[in-house]
């Protein structure tokens, strides 16, 4: 039986595995290294600053800057890095810090005596005393209701796409007003789409500004300190104090999670986006149907009433919703037993990233309603990884007791943050 199985091999899963390996845990890590990052279209860039995009290892030896140096590239503040370079960095990090990454996916996680039983996608069964679920964002993708039942031939999510060359000569409607929507629209225009339009509920587009220099004097730094989530004291609170965020009332956390760090485009994208001429703000799709000539008819509501748009394809760049109902890798019994927080159905997460089921630890987007906006970004992996592994070690030391993995917690004490 393994001490820990990490499910997922993106930034959070690899960071947790690196910390667990450094502590000598009997460990297995499953997943395709940086899969969703490798699947992004070429020509995309990181929105975050390089110094806020490190994966986490205990010694800090395998940062993005260290990898960039091996490629002869400087990871500089204010200079966007290609997404494919970041994906390759994650692969390099895995080779350096994560022993024996197994590229298979885990198909199911279920309670078992003394811990959990997991099954790989090809049917192998294995046991673990603890599990760290770090499945990234793809299970939680959000598509607007009127589009959900349409065939993928006509409607996709922005995360479904690698290259966008297949849309050359076609009419494409992109839904959303965040970085994914704006960058997808710009890339479609650059790659020969016949027409590209944006449809977004937002009444205006927000654009991040060029980040100020890191060394800019005492007073400007005090007024708006740099953080891994952008400048400003509010962002600093989100970035530096996720543990305090977790102690806020649930209603307050939910309100902040819904509103903080809303959709915005990167400063370096604005000029490229100017090629997208049809931008319909304050609009939303109320219904959609396939027409006789195999196009889509969209009824679009807006300030002046409802209009009709005919298009070849819709790409929904509408983000991700962290709800347990979409965490299909967990068995129905396990999902149903977990305590939830807020109306969105996200799991409640304890002080060291343990769920309400002892031994089941969570990382990444699923923890954002508990720990705050930083968990929606690579930046949050640094805060998460060491603390989660500390929780795993405490749970393993607890041994046989009221918190034995494999039993829902009804009493006794869970690991708590030091």
């Amino acid at each position: 039986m393994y001490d820990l199985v990490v499910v997922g091999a993106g930034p959070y899963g690899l960071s947790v595995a690196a910390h667990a390996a450094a502590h000598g845990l009997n460990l297995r890590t499953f997943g395709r290294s940086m899969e969703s990052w490798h699947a992004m279209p070429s020509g995309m860039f990181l929105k975050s600053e390089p110094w806020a995009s490190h994966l986490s290892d205990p010694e800090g030896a395998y940062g993005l800057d260290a990898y960039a140096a091996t490629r002869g590239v400087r990871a500089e503040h204010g200079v966007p890095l290609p997404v494919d370079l970041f994906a390759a960095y994650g692969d390099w990090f895995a080779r350096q810090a994560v022993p024996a990454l197994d590229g298979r996916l885990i198909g199911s996680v279920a309670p078992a005596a003394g811990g959990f039983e997991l099954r790989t996608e090809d049917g192998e069964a294995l046991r673990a005393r603890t599990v760290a679920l770090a499945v990234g964002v793809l299970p939680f993708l959000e598509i607007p209701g009127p589009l959900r039942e349409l065939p993928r031939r006509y409607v996709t999510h922005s995360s479904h796409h690698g290259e966008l060359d297949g849309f050359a000569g076609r009419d494409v409607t992109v839904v959303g007003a965040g970085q994914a929507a704006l960058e997808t629209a710009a890339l479609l225009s650059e790659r020969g789409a016949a027409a590209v339009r944006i449809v977004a509920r937002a009444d205006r587009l927000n654009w991040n500004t060029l980040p100020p220099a890191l060394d800019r004097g005492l007073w400007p730094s005090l007024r708006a300190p740099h953080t891994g989530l952008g400048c400003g004291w509010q962002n600093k609170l989100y970035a530096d104090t996720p543990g305090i965020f977790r102690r806020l009332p649930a209603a307050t956390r939910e309100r902040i999670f819904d509103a903080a760090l809303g959709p915005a485009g990167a400063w370096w994208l604005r000029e490229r986006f100017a090629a997208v001429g049809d931008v319909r703000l304050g609009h939303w799709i109320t219904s959609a149907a396939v027409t006789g000539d195999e196009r889509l008819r969209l009824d679009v509501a807006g300030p002046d009433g409802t209009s009709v748009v005919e298009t070849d394809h819709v790409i929904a760049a509408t983000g991700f919703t962290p709800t347990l109902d979409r965490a299909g890798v967990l068995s129905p019994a396990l999902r149903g037993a977990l305590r939830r927080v807020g109306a969105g159905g996200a799991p409640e997460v304890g002080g060291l990233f343990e769920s309400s089921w002892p031994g089941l630890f969570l990382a990444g987007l699923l923890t954002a309603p508990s720990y705050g906006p930083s968990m929606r970004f690579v930046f949050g992996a640094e805060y998460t990884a060491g603390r989660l592994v500390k929780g795993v070690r405490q749970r393993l030391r607890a041994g046989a007791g009221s918190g034995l993995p494999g039993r829902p917690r009804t009493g006794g004490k869970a690991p708590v943050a030091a």
Side-chain angles (χ1 to χ4, degrees):
M1 180 179 287
Y2 295 100
D3 291 334
L4 171 67
V5 168
V6 179
V7 180
Y12 281 82
L14 294 176
S15 296
V16 168
H19 281 258
H23 283 287
L25 298 185
N26 182 16
L27 168 75
R28 288 287 296 276
T29 305
F30 288 87
R32 294 166 190 148
S33 176
M34 303 294 285
E35 180 177 26
S36 64
W37 296 89
H38 281 296
M40 292 182 184
S42 60
M44 283 192 166
F45 290 84
L46 281 185
K47 189 180 179 186
S48 58
E49 291 299 313
W51 54 266
S53 305
H54 302 301
L55 277 63
S56 178
D57 65 279
E59 301 300 323
Y62 305 120
L64 178 55
D65 50 353
Y67 173 70
T70 71
R71 293 275 299 269
V73 175
R74 294 186 64 183
E76 298 181 88
H77 176 72
V79 179
L81 289 175
V83 162
D84 56 2
L85 185 140
F86 180 73
Y89 158 59
D91 295 341
W92 175 82
F93 180 96
R95 293 192 297 272
Q96 306 301 317
V98 179
L101 172 63
D102 191 317
R104 293 175 294 173
L105 302 181
I106 292 294
S108 66
V109 179
F116 303 88
E117 180 175 278
L118 302 92
R119 287 193 177 271
T120 64
E121 59 186 340
D122 57 0
E124 180 186 349
L126 59 149
R127 293 289 186 96
R129 296 177 66 194
T130 64
V131 168
L133 191 69
V135 291
V137 298
L138 292 185
F140 310 107
L141 61 83
E142 186 65 46
I143 293 178
L147 302 171
R148 287 176 192 162
E149 301 305 317
L150 292 171
R152 188 160 165 176
R153 175 182 175 185
Y154 299 102
V155 176
T156 51
H157 192 271
S158 56
S159 62
H160 289 149
H161 293 285
E163 298 308 320
L164 296 166
D165 298 337
F167 291 106
R170 304 182 70 194
D171 182 298
V172 185
T173 299
V174 180
V175 182
Q179 174 70 8
L182 304 181
E183 194 170 13
T184 296
L187 285 168
L188 286 165
S189 294
E190 292 166 358
R191 297 185 184 183
V196 180
R197 73 184 55 80
I198 288 278
V199 173
R201 287 180 177 270
D203 57 8
R204 66 187 181 93
L205 295 181
N206 294 314
W207 294 96
N208 299 132
T209 57
L210 176 69
L214 288 174
D215 185 8
R216 55 201 162 110
L218 179 61
W219 178 239
S221 296
L222 286 175
R223 288 184 60 189
H226 276 292
T227 82
L229 304 178
C231 289
W233 282 101
Q234 189 173 58
N235 287 341
K236 187 170 179 61
L237 291 173
Y238 298 149
D240 294 354
T241 59
I244 293 176
F245 185 94
R246 192 183 67 83
R247 292 177 171 84
L248 295 174
T252 302
R253 280 185 278 135
E254 189 169 19
R255 175 177 54 80
I256 294 173
F257 175 75
D258 288 339
L261 301 174
W267 61 270
W268 44 262
L269 179 63
R270 193 166 188 171
E271 184 176 339
R272 291 169 56 198
F273 181 77
V276 181
D278 189 352
V279 180
R280 306 187 187 196
L281 301 177
H283 288 72
W284 62 96
I285 297 169
T286 58
S287 65
V290 179
T291 66
D293 58 354
E294 296 191 335
R295 302 187 80 209
L296 280 178
R297 173 196 162 105
L298 307 176
D299 293 321
V300 180
D304 300 320
T306 300
S307 59
V308 174
V309 170
E310 288 202 1
T311 189
D312 295 318
H313 193 90
V314 174
I315 297 177
T318 40
F320 307 88
T321 300
T323 170
L324 273 171
D325 293 337
R326 297 178 184 176
V329 67
L330 298 178
S331 72
L334 190 49
R335 282 202 312 274
L338 294 176
R339 289 201 294 267
R340 305 186 183 209
V341 59
E348 184 180 273
V349 185
L352 293 174
F353 291 90
E354 190 173 25
S355 72
S356 61
W357 189 287
L360 177 64
F361 292 80
L362 306 174
L365 182 65
L366 271 176
T367 71
S370 292
Y371 277 93
S374 63
M375 301 301 146
R376 290 163 28 198
F377 303 93
V378 172
F379 179 77
E382 175 67 31
Y383 183 90
T384 300
R387 289 170 176 83
L388 187 152
V389 171
K390 180 179 180 181
V392 167
R393 294 168 67 210
Q394 286 190 18
R395 176 56 60 200
L396 293 172
R397 286 196 300 269
S402 61
L404 179 69
R407 301 177 186 170
R409 186 183 301 131
T410 56
K413 294 184 178 180
V416 296

